[in-house]
Amino acid sequence: SKAIEERYEHKTQARIQEVVKTKLGEKYVREEPMIRGPQFLVRLRSHTVFENTPIKLFCTVEGFPMPVVKWYKDGVILNLSSGRYLVEAKGGSHSLVIPRY
């Protein structure tokens, strides 16, 4: 009777393990990157600039998808086609160059 009980328990454990292996193989795992909101790693800082001298402003942002940085002056987006401003972006680092402030 004890031997029969042990065999029954062994068969039950083996069946449970078989079901677990089957279910693990069926399980679908998503490996897409999580969406993360934008975060400034390096923020803009204040500058004192002499008239008619160049200045370079920069910031660094991260997030997924990669955030888009837009430059504003007095609440109005800068007209980059005027040639008065140069904008660069490499990875998460963004800069605005004003050749003659």
Side-chain angles (χ1 to χ4, degrees):
S1 67
K2 190 170 186 167
I4 295 173
E5 206 174 314
E6 286 178 2
R7 262 188 287 152
Y8 176 76
E9 193 173 326
H10 177 73
K11 285 183 178 182
T12 303
Q13 290 294 330
R15 179 67 184 139
I16 290 172
Q17 288 177 356
E18 187 179 330
V19 169
V20 168
K21 285 180 185 177
T22 304
K23 293 293 180 186
L24 282 176
E26 296 171 357
K27 193 170 188 172
Y28 176 74
V29 179
R30 288 180 67 177
E31 294 188 12
E32 294 177 11
M34 299 281 294
I35 293 177
R36 294 174 307 189
Q39 179 182 9
F40 280 91
L41 300 177
V42 178
R43 294 184 172 274
L44 290 174
R45 58 180 197 154
S46 297
H47 289 78
T48 302
V49 183
F50 292 105
E51 195 172 337
N52 295 323
T53 60
I55 183 172
K56 184 174 186 175
L57 306 171
F58 66 94
C59 66
T60 304
V61 294
E62 73 170 357
F64 184 85
M66 182 59 78
V68 175
V69 173
K70 296 186 179 188
W71 297 91
Y72 290 80
K73 180 183 184 293
D74 298 328
V76 178
I77 194 163
L78 293 179
N79 180 6
L80 302 177
S81 63
S82 68
R84 293 179 58 193
Y85 310 103
L86 304 170
V87 174
E88 295 177 354
K90 291 182 183 175
S93 297
H94 299 267
S95 65
L96 168 68
V97 178
I98 305 171
R100 284 188 57 187
Y101 188 76

